[in-house]
């Protein structure tokens, strides 16, 4: 695994736990974790169960005992690391968004296609596809339970940046992050909409806004919880993204991605309305799905709360008894299960790098639309 911060902890948990609950066809060995700082990456290796640590990712991917490379670094390094790993014959799991630009994502998708011809697999880490309730929502839509899709509303709402004196982080630097709320969390809203509906976003009209343009820099050697310095840095990404998208069927979808929605901590919400019913999901209640069956008599209408914890629900058979809830971290174990199974079976895991490239094109189209005064822009132009 290359990178060992917040996402590194989540991915480590997935690699560690998946083999203990799922009957994997291959056994993952957590061989080495890579970071820039020798002391901190060594501490991460001890904490999360990696056999060793290293500071040179190029040396690691050249090793014969490495079969899989998991990329959890900031977006500006995804392309270089993933392409080098694929060319070295390693299977690659890469965190979302796939890259910081369409050009980088195109290069990664091309490398993945070339590697696939040699039996090398690659996947993007849109982990919310693997929450049992969202997978169950996808199944209901595919089975025709809500009929023809007429409208979608997708939101990813956080408030962790609402304090204007909150310090600068790499996520607020366009050179490192590529974009702000749009790419960081809006990418999830796009992918989850496409996953549940089975349709791609073809065109968008949107606007991006930076609500706080300057923030204090952290002093040297001070962590995120430390005291900020008097020096200030410029925020070069968006804080808020609002856009409308048109799906392949012609249905409209509205999207919001913000890190300034006061009181919302991690609310990825999606509601899909159809001719025969509707479904609604909120990540802050991730074990639940709301389902509305419009074919019932008027006296029986209303959203039904489905507790998605039965063993017949997606991914849940190996876990706890019914009603014993899963959490955020379980999606990463499901991701490992799907990825390792695809490698073993020689099939293409989803979402693929091509899927990640498509999301990158949608993100780019939103940026171009905002720059053009919210004009409609095709996502494949």
């Amino acid at each position: 695994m290359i990178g060992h911060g917040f996402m590194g902890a989540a991915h480590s948990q997935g690699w560690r736990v998946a083999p203990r609950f799922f009957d994997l066809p291959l056994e993952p060995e957590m061989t080495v974790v890579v970071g820039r700082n020798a002391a901190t990456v060594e501490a991460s290796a001890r904490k999360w169960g990696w056999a060793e640590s290293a500071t040179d990712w190029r040396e690691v991917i050249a090793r014969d005992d490495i079969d899989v490379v998991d990329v959890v670094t900031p977006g500006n390094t995804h392309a270089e690391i993933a392409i080098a790993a694929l060319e070295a014959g390693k299977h690659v799991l890469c965190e979302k968004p796939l890259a910081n630009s369409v050009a980088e994502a195109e290069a990664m998708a091309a490398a993945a296609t070339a590697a696939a011809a040699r039996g090398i697999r690659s996947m993007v880490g849109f982990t919310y596809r693997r929450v049992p309730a969202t997978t169950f929502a996808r199944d209901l839509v595919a089975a025709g339970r809500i009929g023809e899709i007429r409208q979608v509303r997708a939101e990813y709402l956080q408030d962790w940046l609402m304090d204007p004196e909150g310090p600068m982080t790499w996520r607020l630097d366009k050179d490192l992050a590529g974009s702000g709320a749009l790419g960081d969390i809006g990418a999830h809203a796009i992918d989850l909409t496409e996953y549940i509906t089975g349709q791609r976003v073809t065109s968008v009209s949107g606007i991006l806004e930076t609500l706080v343009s300057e923030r204090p820099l952290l002093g040297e050697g001070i962590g995120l919880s430390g005291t900020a310095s008097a020096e200030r840095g410029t925020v070069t990404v968006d804080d808020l993204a609002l856009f409308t998208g048109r799906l392949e069927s012609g249905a409209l979808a509205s999207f919001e991605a913000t890190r300034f929605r006061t009181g919302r901590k991690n609310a990825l919400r999606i509601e899909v309305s159809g001719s025969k019913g509707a479904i609604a999901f909120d990540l802050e209640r991730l074990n639940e799905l709301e389902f509305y069956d419009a074919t019932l008599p008027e006296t029986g209408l209303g959203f039904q709360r489905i507790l998605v914890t039965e063993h017949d629900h997606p991914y849940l058979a190996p876990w706890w008894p019914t009603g014993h809830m899963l959490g955020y971290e379980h999606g990463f174990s499901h991701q490992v299960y799907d990825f390792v199974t695809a490698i073993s079976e020689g099939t293409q895991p989803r979402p693929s790098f091509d899927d990640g490239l498509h999301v990158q094109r949608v993100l780019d189209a939103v940026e171009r639309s905002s720059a053009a005064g919210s004009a409609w822009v095709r996502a494949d132009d």
Side-chain angles (χ1 to χ4, degrees), residues 161-166 168 172 209-216 232-239 260:
L161 283 178
M162 60 176 292
D163 180 0
E165 294 305 307
M168 283 287 294
L172 304 178
E209 190 80 12
T210 301
L211 303 178
V212 176
S213 59
E214 289 187 347
R215 290 183 176 272
R232 303 183 75 83
T234 300
V235 176
T236 54
V237 299
D238 59 281
D239 292 323
F260 276 79

Side-chain angles (χ1 to χ4, degrees), residues 298-371:
E298 288 185 359
T299 52
L301 293 176
F303 272 95
Q304 170 192 359
R305 172 181 173 266
I306 300 173
L307 192 62
V308 188
T309 62
E310 299 290 340
H311 282 181
D312 286 340
H313 282 131
Y315 297 109
L316 282 161
W319 292 110
W320 315 114
T322 298
H324 292 68
M325 308 304 186
L326 299 192
Y328 169 77
E329 74 277 10
H330 291 82
F332 295 91
S333 294
H334 304 159
Q335 179 171 261
V336 167
Y337 168 74
D338 286 341
F339 189 45
V340 171
T341 299
I343 291 172
S344 175
E345 295 176 349
T347 58
Q348 174 58 54
R350 300 291 297 272
S352 65
F353 275 23
D354 282 338
D355 295 327
L357 169 59
H358 166 72
V359 172
Q360 200 74 46
R361 286 174 170 155
V362 176
L363 299 175
D364 179 71
V366 174
E367 291 199 61
R368 289 187 285 124
S369 172
S370 180

Side-chain angles (χ1 to χ4, degrees), residues 123-138:
M123 189 172 82
V124 188
F126 282 110
T127 320
Y128 294 132
R129 288 185 175 212
R130 292 172 166 89
V131 173
T134 63
T135 305
F136 185 53
R138 187 275 313 268

Side-chain angles (χ1 to χ4, degrees), residues 66-292:
I66 301 299
D67 304 303
V68 174
V69 173
D70 187 356
V71 183
V72 296
T73 54
N76 65 316
T77 61
H78 285 185
E80 182 182 14
I81 296 172
I83 291 171
L86 289 168
E87 291 177 347
K90 316 301 182 184
H91 307 290
V92 174
L93 172 61
C94 183
E95 253 305 312
K96 48 53 61 185
L98 185 61
N100 275 7
S101 69
V102 170
E104 289 178 343
E106 287 174 340
M108 295 172 74
T113 298
R118 297 180 281 116
I120 305 302
R121 307 299 164 191
S122 53
M123 189 172 82
V124 188
F126 282 110
T127 320
Y128 294 132
R129 288 185 175 212
R130 292 172 166 89
V131 173
T134 63
T135 305
F136 185 53
R138 187 275 313 268
D139 294 345
L140 290 175
V141 172
R145 294 293 300 278
I146 69 167
E148 176 189 353
I149 294 173
R150 291 174 170 171
Q151 183 182 355
V152 180
R153 182 184 182 94
E155 306 171 299
Y156 205 149
L157 315 174
Q158 298 176 341
D159 72 354
W160 63 276
L161 283 178
M162 60 176 292
D163 180 0
E165 294 305 307
M168 283 287 294
T169 78
W170 69 267
R171 294 185 185 277
L172 304 178
D173 184 338
K174 188 174 180 63
D175 289 340
L176 298 177
S179 66
L182 175 64
D184 183 22
I185 54 181
H188 276 304
I190 295 165
D191 181 73
L192 197 58
T193 295
E194 297 189 335
Y195 175 65
I196 291 175
T197 65
Q199 299 184 38
R200 286 191 163 185
V201 175
T202 59
S203 58
V204 296
S205 168
I207 186 168
L208 304 178
E209 190 80 12
T210 301
L211 303 178
V212 176
S213 59
E214 289 187 347
R215 290 183 176 272
L217 299 174
L218 290 171
E220 184 178 354
I222 298 176
L224 287 177
S225 60
T227 302
S229 70
E231 188 178 356
R232 303 183 75 83
T234 300
V235 176
T236 54
V237 299
D238 59 281
D239 292 323
L240 168 63
L242 296 168
F243 58 101
T244 302
R246 194 170 292 280
L247 303 181
E248 290 171 310
S249 65
L252 285 174
S254 63
F255 296 88
E256 178 180 352
T258 177
R259 300 186 288 210
F260 276 79
R261 183 70 81 87
T262 306
R264 300 299 181 186
K265 302 307 173 185
N266 199 41
L268 173 57
R269 298 154 63 167
I270 182 167
E271 184 166 327
V272 184
S273 301
S275 59
K276 294 169 55 178
I279 54 172
F281 169 78
D282 187 336
L283 185 63
E284 290 184 345
R285 300 185 310 183
L286 60 76
N287 292 279
E288 301 176 20
L289 187 69
E290 290 185 275
F291 175 64
Y292 183 92

